[in-house]
Structures are given as structure tokens and as C-alpha cells.
Amino acid sequence: MPFPPPPRTLLGPRRRSLLVSAAGAALLVGCSTGDDSGTTGGSESAAERARARAAADSETLLLHYDAVLAAHPTLAERLDPLRAEVVRHATAFGGSSSTPSATATASPSASATAVPATPSDALADLAAAERGLADRRAKALLDLPGELARLLASVAAAGAAHAYLLTEGAK
């Protein structure tokens, strides 16, 4: 009696496991902006600089989302949840919490960002921005104190999940 062929194995993580992992990491970290305990005066200023840089990076990524949404409003349903996460990340790092909504008119600086002409190219460009930022954050967290390193790791994982969702949805 012949054996049935083995089931098709999927390469890479499944979308559901990525979403659960990103959500679990966010819950564990809680996106808190609490003080890092046990830091010294010198490392505190380095941590403050890292936190400010992370907030600025999130706000820049937010402008990228806004530019894509302004150029391709049909992507709003797909991008609004990811954009909302980026707003929460910026806020967690101490960035501006009064960021305009995606459905509001995009700011002049958002529309000044070059956006590819097709929605699929715009998504690929946005995914590359998310992936690049996630990689930079993953490297930067090695030199940071406990709570800030955990927050940066969680946000880097979320950014990697965003990049995956942006590229996988096109397939």
C-alpha cells in the first residue's frame, strides 16, 4: 500500500503566528514609557537620546504611511491598523501623541515624500522602510538598559511583522 505524499510545508512563519507573536510581545512590554531602573547618569543620557531617536524614527515612518495613504487612498483599509500601531510606538517613545489621523488631510511634509505610482510598489516601499527600521532597532537595543531595550525589541518585532504583512498581502 503506497503512502500518501507528505503535506506541503510552508516556508517561513505563518501570518497568524506573526500576529500572535507581535501582539504577545506588545502585551508583555506594555509599550510603557516608565523609567528604566538601575541606570547611571551617563547611561541615562544615552538612553534618553536613544528614546528620542526611536520616537523620531517612528514619526518619520508615520509620515511615510501618510504619504502612501494620500497617494493611494484605496489602501486605507489595509494600512490604517498598521499606521495606528506606528502612532502608538511613537507615543511609547515619548513622541507626539497628537498625530493627525490617516483619513485626515495629509500634512505638507507627508505629501513631499516620494511615493511610487502603483499601490503594489508603494506597499513594497513601505515594507522596505518598516524592515530597515526594524533592523536598525534590533541592532541598537544591545546597548540600552533593560526596560528601553525591551520596548525597542518589541517595536522592532512589530515592525518586522508589519513588513511581512505588507509583502505577504500582495501575494
Side-chain angles (χ1 to χ4, degrees):
M1 169 179 218
F3 291 105
R8 191 179 113 212
T9 57
L10 299 173
L11 299 176
R14 296 183 65 177
R15 183 180 309 163
R16 184 177 299 145
S17 62
L18 272 176
L19 288 173
V20 169
S21 298
L27 287 174
L28 287 175
V29 172
C31 288
S32 73
T33 58
D35 293 336
D36 294 327
S37 58
T39 59
T40 62
S43 63
E44 248 182 288
S45 64
E48 289 171 11
R49 286 191 306 272
R51 186 180 293 275
R53 184 173 46 252
D57 288 344
S58 289
E59 290 170 349
T60 299
L61 183 60
L62 187 59
L63 291 175
H64 197 145
Y65 270 91
D66 288 344
V68 169
L69 286 165
H72 303 287
T74 58
L75 296 174
E77 183 178 339
R78 184 170 179 188
L79 296 182
D80 281 347
L82 301 177
R83 184 191 179 282
E85 286 295 314
V86 174
V87 169
R88 284 191 278 280
H89 297 160
T91 303
F93 288 120
S96 171
S97 61
S98 61
T99 315
S101 68
T103 55
T105 309
S107 66
S109 57
S111 59
T113 305
V115 176
T118 66
S120 62
D121 288 345
L123 290 175
D125 188 49
L126 196 54
E130 284 271 18
R131 192 175 304 108
L133 183 54
D135 291 345
R136 285 192 309 276
R137 285 177 167 164
K139 289 176 186 170
L141 68 90
L142 298 174
D143 300 325
L144 298 175
E147 182 66 23
L148 182 56
R150 286 187 292 275
L151 177 59
L152 199 62
S154 175
V155 173
H162 289 182
Y164 175 81
L165 291 172
L166 288 166
T167 56
E168 286 302 306
K171 292 182 179 178

